[in-house]
């Protein structure tokens, strides 16, 4: 008989009791997560992580004394859990992802947003578990390069963009295409569209060049979303994306796109 896998252990860190209670109640609905500790300040969080070695931590950013970022700086690498930052301030999002946070939960949040964050966290924890098991099976603690370098094993990349006072965090693998609109760009992602005052060139520099390609001066596409490509009489190409969008590939960008598709 195969034993059921143990729940992933979580530490909740927030200096506000109502915020801890909300996270406790929501996580209590998830059968594969168990709360290892609740902490009201940063020093307590450091002690809980070192003592309990949790799989994940829901971590407030702004706390008196030791804040969330200081907590991470004081934790050794081998004790670092998967981090979900929870805060009412969206300005910390870029710094959070620089600290390799998996998710950024902006208060107040809906049940649907929390469920999406937990689903993402669950997927990342499964990847970590698989990698650890494979490394142990190999005996030398190292993954083969072919596995260690695959996108599924790397930190999931995020695009962080601002729309007025709001910060949007969009995983790269959810982006289908991006178009320029005058002085703005519109990001077409699965289930949402985001308009932001950025240049297409700025966003292109923040995207993975092995996955995203410019197809003409006003559009970037996720090459993994391309379903077909066909030539036009003008010398351009017509490109179809998996959500039904049809785009033109200019002759200027055609060769680079084809090279990327062939190498991918």
């Amino acid at each position: 008989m195969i034993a059921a896998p143990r729940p992933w252990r979580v530490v909740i860190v927030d200096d506000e009791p109502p915020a801890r209670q909300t996270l406790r109640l929501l996580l209590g609905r998830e059968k594969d997560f168990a709360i290892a500790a609740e902490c009201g300040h940063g020093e307590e969080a450091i002690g809980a992580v070192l003592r309990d070695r949790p799989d994940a931590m829901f971590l407030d950013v702004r706390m008196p004394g030791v804040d969330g970022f200081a907590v991470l700086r004081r934790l050794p690498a081998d004790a670092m859990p998967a981090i979900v930052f929870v805060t009412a301030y969206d300005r910390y999002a870029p710094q959070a992802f620089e600290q390799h946070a998996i998710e950024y939960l902006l208060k107040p949040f809906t049940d649907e947003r929390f469920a999406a964050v937990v689903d993402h966290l669950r997927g990342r924890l499964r990847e970590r578990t698989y990698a650890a098991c494979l490394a142990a099976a190999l005996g030398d603690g190292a993954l083969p390069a072919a596995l260690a370098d695959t996108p599924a094993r790397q930190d999931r990349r995020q695009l962080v963009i601002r729309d007025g006072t709001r910060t949007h965090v969009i995983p790269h693998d959810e982006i289908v295409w991006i178009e320029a609109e005058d002085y703005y760009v519109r990001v077409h992602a699965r289930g949402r569209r985001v308009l932001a005052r950025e240049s297409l060139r700025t966003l292109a520099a923040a995207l993975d060049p092995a996955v995203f390609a410019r197809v003409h001066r006003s559009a970037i596409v996720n090459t993994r979303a391309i379903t077909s490509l066909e030539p036009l009489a003008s010398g351009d190409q017509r490109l179809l994306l998996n959500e039904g969008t049809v785009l033109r590939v200019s002759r200027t960008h055609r060769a680079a796109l084809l090279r990327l598709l062939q190498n991918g």
Side-chain angles (χ1 to χ4, degrees):
M1 182 175 179
I2 299 175
R6 69 167 180 83
W8 284 300
R9 305 176 75 231
V10 181
V11 168
I12 296 171
V13 187
D14 200 300
D15 63 320
E16 298 178 357
R20 295 199 302 273
Q21 181 182 27
T22 297
L23 290 172
R24 183 194 322 125
L25 292 173
L26 290 173
L27 283 168
R29 302 175 186 174
E30 308 295 333
K31 302 303 183 186
D32 49 353
F33 287 88
I35 297 171
E38 291 185 32
C39 307
H41 55 80
E43 289 287 357
E44 189 179 3
I46 294 166
V49 170
L50 296 177
R51 179 187 68 244
D52 298 320
R53 298 287 171 143
D55 302 290
M57 178 162 57
F58 283 74
L59 179 62
D60 191 13
V61 175
R62 291 187 60 172
M63 295 181 289
V66 181
D67 67 15
F69 296 121
V71 168
L72 298 190
R73 287 194 295 270
R74 290 176 54 181
L75 288 175
D78 63 352
M80 187 70 68
I83 301 298
V84 176
F85 275 109
V86 187
T87 180
Y89 304 92
D90 63 0
R91 64 179 178 270
Y92 296 116
Q95 187 178 355
F97 288 108
E98 287 173 4
Q99 298 291 325
H100 305 294
I102 286 176
E103 272 287 4
Y104 191 87
L105 192 55
L106 189 63
K107 305 174 191 175
F109 50 82
T110 63
D111 286 4
E112 291 76 14
R113 172 59 183 152
F114 181 82
V117 167
V118 169
D119 191 52
H120 182 193
L121 174 62
R122 183 181 287 115
R124 288 295 304 279
L125 291 174
R126 285 172 179 160
E127 290 174 5
R128 286 188 175 193
T129 300
Y130 172 80
C133 290
L134 183 57
L138 290 171
D140 61 0
L143 288 172
L147 285 174
D149 292 339
T150 57
R153 303 295 174 259
Q154 296 172 349
D155 284 344
R156 191 184 190 195
R157 296 189 178 187
Q158 317 268 1
L159 181 66
V160 180
I161 55 176
R162 293 185 65 85
D163 173 14
T165 60
R166 189 175 181 186
T167 298
H168 298 270
V169 181
I170 310 173
H172 280 196
D173 59 7
E174 292 184 7
I175 299 170
V176 180
W177 70 290
I178 304 171
E179 63 178 319
E181 293 187 6
D182 296 325
Y183 298 104
Y184 293 82
V185 292
R186 187 180 299 275
V187 181
H188 298 259
R190 291 202 299 269
R192 56 176 162 162
R193 293 186 178 92
V194 176
L195 185 68
R197 194 175 178 85
E198 297 276 2
S199 71
L200 206 61
R201 178 177 295 180
T202 299
L203 292 195
L207 296 169
D208 184 352
V211 176
F212 292 87
R214 194 83 168 253
V215 294
H216 59 75
R217 64 184 180 85
S218 300
I220 294 171
V221 301
N222 182 337
T223 58
R224 294 171 181 165
I226 297 173
T227 59
S228 67
L229 195 63
E230 60 184 58
L232 299 174
S234 63
D236 292 347
Q237 301 266 331
R238 181 163 50 207
L239 175 155
L240 177 64
L241 297 173
N242 55 17
E243 36 79 275
T245 298
V246 177
L247 296 172
R248 178 178 57 84
V249 182
S250 70
R251 283 174 287 180
T252 305
H253 297 94
R254 181 182 60 191
L257 174 63
L258 292 175
R259 280 195 303 270
L260 184 56
L261 291 172
Q262 289 166 357
N263 293 334

